Amino acid sequence: MRLEAAARMDVFRKLWRARKLIVVVFIPLSLLPLPLIHPTSEACCAYVLMVTAVYWVSEAVPLGAAALVPAFLYPLFGVLKSSEVASEYCKDTTLLLMGVICLAASIEKWNLHKRIALRMVMIAGAKPGLVLGFMCCTVFLSMWLSNTSTTAMVMPIAEAVLQQLICTGLADSHHDSETVDSPEEDSVAIEIPNVKRVKARRDSQYPTKRDHMICKCLSLSITYAATIGGLITITGTSTNLIFAEQFNRYPDAKVINFGTWFIFSFPIAIIMLVLTWLWLHFLFLGCFRETCSLSKKRKTRREMMSEQRIQEEYAKLGPIYPEVVTGIFFILMTLLWFTREPGFVPGWTSLFEKGYRTDATVSVLLGFLLFLIPARRPFSSSSPSCENTDNSESDPLAPMITWKDFQRLMPWEIVILVGGGYALAAGCKVSGLSVWIGRQLEPMSGLPPWAVTLLACLLVSAVTEFASNPATLTVFLPILSALSETLLINPLHTLIPSTMCVSFGVMLPVGNPPNAIVFSYGHVQISDMQVKAGFGVNLIGVAVVMLAITTWGVPLFNLTEFPAWAVARNVTRGL
């Protein structure tokens, strides 16, 4: 019996190790009867859609590789020509992303993000406002950089502060409330850790339970703030770009641009930031009366040491000239995006022939200039100090960024993933599958628009806990678009909230990469993310998004009417 049980366990282990290969082979074969029994264009497209969706959700193959499935299955089944599929993999949003990555490469190379983060934390100080300070700087950086990059940049700075807090507590465990008259204290040298350096911590390694709670609170606040910041701009996260290109399927709709998205999402981010901060503070640090007492006129030794550590890191930053150039480009790109077509006044595009220039035009132009502008101050013999520079000391005309800098940050997998989503959407449109899906959803016509939107938000926010955000949104957007047109609801009423809620995969380390980065530092456990903090943040996010789409989103996007641009597309599809 024991031998038989051991043999069965061995078989199960082998099957578990080969589970991804089994999914890759079994799923296409098990679904193959669908296009064989019903050799229609809709059935063939549905087959490709289901195979790709299962590959994405299960991650049996890399996301980028799974996104290539429509590139060969659509031509094989006669849904789209190979040239038509290929054209879907490079769109306007691809160029927009490339220009943004050029700016992000310059920000990271010259440590502008670090200067901003440290300066904001110095302003906040080492009191409970420290958590809010880190959250604010993380939100700001995540508006322009990817959520993953922002978390990877800010978390080492936070870890250095936390290590200083722990070491000071160990050295002064019996005098936590002791005050000092001057900052002339011996500081413990702590190097900023690398994200790859993962070390499991135990409760005994923290001076007090409250120190452990502070570490948990600050760590989780960074990953949640990165998610919140990514909502604010149309380029803040890949899911926003996926929505933008999906919405481009309505060629007559001119309601979504950088400005209108910012006006809608910025209040959402502010409300979520405050509520999330209050929730985390209450959950881990207790009531504010104990931590924010105004009667403390002097700072404790630990607060002084933490602030001193932050100031030391700020002093290590090099010359500011390359950061100034990067900051100018950053401001210029933002202003040109806002003023291209602001809506309430004519934008700068009115000076040219209409319809040729988009946000990608600005992004690529400024990104290209970063490859040309020297990083060294003109007529200066000093060279910029940067750990990532390549032969900049020997070349006085070395540019702000090199192709290696760009290549290191460019998320090609996301580009291909987004392209795969465009290809799937094109196939659904041409084959008529989207019309068929819309007809099956007609029984939901009795629901009010807010109920349909709420169901969509809850569904995507639940699925995205276990699947990647881009893959989840790529699968759901075409379905929700067809649903909205069938129910005669403004598509923006469901598409925008779903796009935002798909980012709320904050309950598990696998929900998104920022969660995994924070989890790797060892301060938090899965129960902290899931049972305690994550569920509350998820509810806050869905509630705030629903508040926005039913209040200020209504006049901003004219959501009370089924728009003419959606009517035109609906009629075209019906034909």
Side-chain angles (χ1 to χ4, degrees), residues 25-347:
V25 176
F26 176 75
I27 291 301
L29 293 179
S30 62
L31 296 175
L32 193 57
L34 175 63
L36 295 180
I37 297 175
H38 303 282
T40 61
S41 182
E42 293 93 335
C44 293
C45 182
Y47 173 79
V48 178
L49 178 62
M50 287 189 289
V51 171
T52 308
V54 172
Y55 282 176
W56 273 338
V57 174
S58 65
E59 297 189 22
V61 292
L63 295 178
L68 296 175
V69 170
F72 60 86
L73 283 187
Y74 273 162
L76 288 177
F77 283 103
V79 178
L80 286 174
K81 295 180 180 178
S82 182
S83 58
E84 293 173 337
V85 179
S87 64
E88 299 293 332
Y89 280 84
C90 186
K91 294 290 188 178
D92 183 70
T93 50
T94 304
L95 297 178
L96 175 65
L97 179 61
M98 293 176 69
V100 172
I101 293 299
C102 289
L103 181 61
S106 183
I107 290 175
E108 181 177 343
K109 180 177 181 178
W110 301 111
N111 288 325
L112 178 59
H113 65 286
K114 192 173 181 180
R115 186 178 296 274
I116 293 173
L118 290 174
R119 173 55 68 179
M120 295 185 72
V121 173
M122 288 169 64
I123 294 174
K127 287 184 176 294
L130 178 67
V131 174
L132 183 60
F134 267 104
M135 291 184 71
C136 289
C137 72
T138 304
V139 166
F140 179 76
L141 293 174
S142 188
M143 290 169 59
W144 319 102
L145 309 177
S146 71
N147 299 352
T148 305
S149 298
T150 301
T151 306
M153 293 171 184
V154 176
M155 194 58 199
I157 302 174
E159 178 69 4
V161 175
L162 292 177
Q163 285 296 318
Q164 184 67 61
L165 182 70
I166 292 171
C167 292
T168 308
L170 289 172
D172 195 21
S173 58
H174 299 291
H175 304 281
D176 283 354
S177 60
E178 177 185 352
T179 58
V180 294
D181 296 327
S182 65
E184 310 278 335
E185 297 285 347
D186 296 333
S187 100
V188 183
I190 303 292
E191 294 183 357
I192 290 187
N194 193 304
V195 174
K196 296 180 180 179
R197 184 181 63 81
V198 180
K199 183 175 69 175
R201 293 179 171 87
R202 298 179 180 177
D203 290 344
S204 59
Q205 293 181 276
Y206 299 93
T208 64
K209 182 179 179 181
R210 184 170 183 79
D211 290 323
H212 194 184
M213 293 297 104
I214 292 175
C215 292
K216 288 183 177 183
C217 183
L218 184 56
S219 299
L220 289 175
S221 70
I222 290 174
T223 182
Y224 297 153
T227 298
I228 295 171
L231 302 176
I232 299 178
T233 60
I234 200 71
T235 60
T237 182
S238 58
T239 52
N240 293 357
L241 292 174
I242 293 173
F243 159 79
E245 191 55 41
Q246 171 68 26
F247 191 70
N248 286 341
R249 302 293 175 182
Y250 300 97
D252 297 329
K254 304 296 181 183
V255 293
I256 294 294
N257 53 45
F258 188 90
T260 55
W261 182 275
F262 183 88
I263 293 172
F264 176 75
S265 59
F266 186 72
I268 294 177
I270 295 299
I271 297 174
M272 281 195 65
L273 175 66
V274 175
L275 292 181
T276 302
W277 174 58
L278 293 175
W279 168 245
L280 292 177
H281 196 287
F282 172 78
L283 193 64
F284 293 105
L285 302 180
C287 64
F288 281 82
R289 185 174 60 182
E290 298 178 2
T291 56
C292 297
S293 176
L294 297 177
S295 62
K296 293 174 63 177
K297 297 181 180 180
R298 292 182 176 182
K299 299 177 180 178
T300 65
R301 178 177 185 272
R302 307 178 71 184
E303 291 174 345
M304 296 291 291
M305 296 290 284
S306 298
E307 292 186 0
Q308 181 180 344
R309 179 59 180 160
I310 295 172
Q311 292 172 356
E312 289 174 358
E313 291 299 325
Y314 189 83
K316 293 179 182 178
L317 298 176
I320 200 173
Y321 174 74
E323 299 177 44
V324 171
V325 175
T326 303
I328 291 175
F329 271 73
F330 171 79
I331 296 173
L332 185 60
M333 183 179 291
T334 305
L335 289 177
L336 290 176
W337 277 343
F338 267 112
T339 58
R340 183 177 66 86
E341 288 180 353
F344 53 91
V345 293

Side-chain angles (χ1 to χ4, degrees), residues 535-550:
F535 185 70
V537 174
N538 214 327
L539 290 181
I540 289 173
V542 173
V544 175
V545 169
M546 287 300 301
L547 173 66
I549 203 66
T550 55

Side-chain angles (χ1 to χ4, degrees), residues 370-415:
L370 287 172
F371 288 100
L372 303 180
I373 296 179
R376 185 178 299 184
R377 188 194 305 269
F379 311 109
S380 173
S381 58
S382 61
S383 60
S385 173
C386 178
E387 56 188 20
N388 297 323
T389 53
D390 299 321
N391 300 323
S392 61
E393 294 186 2
S394 58
D395 185 4
L397 297 179
M400 292 289 295
I401 61 173
T402 63
W403 187 255
K404 287 183 179 180
D405 299 326
F406 168 79
Q407 188 78 356
R408 183 168 49 84
L409 289 185
M410 184 62 191
W412 293 111
E413 183 183 46
I414 295 298
V415 171

